[in-house]
Amino acid sequence: MIASDGNASGGPKAARVPALNYADIGKLPSIVLLHSFPADGRIWAGVAGILSQSFRVVTPNLHGFGKNPPASKVSIAEMAADVAGLIHELGIGPCAIAGLSMGGYVAQQIARDHAAVIDRLILVDTKAAADNTAGRDARDATAALAIEHGSAAVFERMLPMLLGPDASPAVVEAARAIAQSQSPLTIAAASRAMRDREDFSAFLPSLTIPVHLIFGEYDATMPPDAARALQATLPSATLAFIGGAGHLSPLEKPADVAAAISSALISTLT
Ligand code: MLT
């Protein structure tokens, strides 16, 4: 089935659930891919295209991002509730959820607050810990930068930390185009949402569903040591590194990330 760029709010019945713009391709079993900051579902496009040969793949644009109306205020909990609502609306739960960086914060919130919709958690280039004081201050600076100088300024400030050594000019341009198309209002709101997100370090080890970790070998934001430290708290979690990739591994190495997700999903299919 292919139904790209749908919207869960279509029709009177659907109007009762949160409106969330999304793309939906492939066949069951299902996986939902949650994007990073400041981006939208397109960051997963290459991975989604490959995975859709074996899975139904839904790539929502989180609150305010992509084709959703801009958001002046949002929380990670609200983003999670939106995605849980979309999974209910599509009737695909419980399903696998993979979250890239900010999408990983949302995925963990879903696992905590909407456990019925998720049966496998895949964390990509992300972390469980909340921000410290310096991190929280940096979120406010990012929000101010977005409002005062726009989305492009936020992307250019983040760029040195985003990509691995193999990233081609085309990958840089793709990341830039996606980031620059996001609303500055939403970028500011999402930055504050990340500032205020919960710490899932104590919660994650209590999860009974399979957890898989996938990290870019050269992720400067969530480096390999942090990945190994996270895995050490989760005795049954698998950990895969994506060779040559940085923080945006799904955009940089879609075939390798799709293979890592596929093998994680297949290993837990009964
Ligand atoms: C992201 O890629 O979503 C961000 O790096 C997440 C963050 O800033 O914590």
Side-chain angles (χ1 to χ4, degrees):
M1 181 191 112
I2 296 185
S4 62
D5 272 24
N7 192 306
S9 68
K13 179 167 174 280
R16 289 197 298 272
V17 304
L20 207 61
N21 178 252
Y22 63 95
D24 183 359
I25 53 176
K27 300 177 282 205
L28 293 172
S30 303
I31 180 165
V32 175
L33 304 175
L34 303 179
H35 63 79
S36 54
F37 166 93
D40 59 37
R42 287 175 292 168
I43 212 92
W44 283 105
V47 174
I50 297 166
L51 287 180
S52 66
Q53 292 162 22
S54 315
F55 303 97
R56 179 174 176 182
V57 186
V58 177
T59 49
N61 296 322
L62 294 168
H63 196 98
F65 289 97
K67 293 180 181 171
N68 293 308
S72 55
K73 191 170 186 308
V74 71
S75 66
I76 297 296
E78 285 164 344
M79 292 182 189
D82 283 354
V83 175
L86 178 63
I87 291 172
H88 281 303
E89 174 70 3
L90 295 175
I92 58 171
C95 64
I97 299 180
L100 169 64
S101 200
M102 179 182 75
Y105 309 153
V106 178
Q108 292 171 81
Q109 186 93 40
I110 293 170
R112 220 277 308 277
D113 295 351
H114 308 278
V117 306
I118 179 169
D119 61 9
R120 277 159 292 167
L121 173 64
I122 302 174
L123 298 176
V124 184
D125 304 322
T126 190
K127 59 186 165 195
D131 285 353
N132 59 20
T133 306
R136 289 171 56 83
D137 290 347
R139 301 297 186 190
D140 289 332
T142 300
L145 183 66
I147 297 300
E148 286 161 26
H149 297 285
S151 313
V154 172
F155 176 79
E156 298 307 329
R157 181 175 288 181
M158 291 178 70
L159 180 57
M161 302 290 281
L162 281 184
L163 300 168
D166 292 357
S168 65
V171 165
V172 178
E173 272 321 300
R176 179 176 279 123
I178 293 171
Q180 288 184 354
S181 69
Q182 308 307 320
S183 146
L185 205 60
T186 297
I187 290 177
S191 191
R192 291 188 288 263
M194 291 192 287
R195 175 195 67 193
D196 297 337
R197 75 186 188 277
E198 294 185 47
D199 192 315
F200 293 109
S201 308
F203 162 71
L204 270 194
S206 73
L207 269 179
T208 53
I209 59 173
V211 179
H212 305 282
L213 309 177
I214 299 173
F215 281 73
E217 178 189 10
Y218 294 107
D219 186 343
T221 307
M222 318 286 181
D225 281 352
R228 290 190 196 95
L230 180 59
Q231 188 195 23
T233 70
L234 309 168
S236 56
T238 63
L239 171 60
F241 286 109
I242 305 300
H247 184 58
L248 297 184
S249 59
L251 184 70
E252 298 172 63
K253 303 277 182 184
D256 294 345
V257 172
I261 290 177
S262 237
S263 104
L265 293 183
I266 287 163
S267 75
T268 54
L269 277 178
T270 50

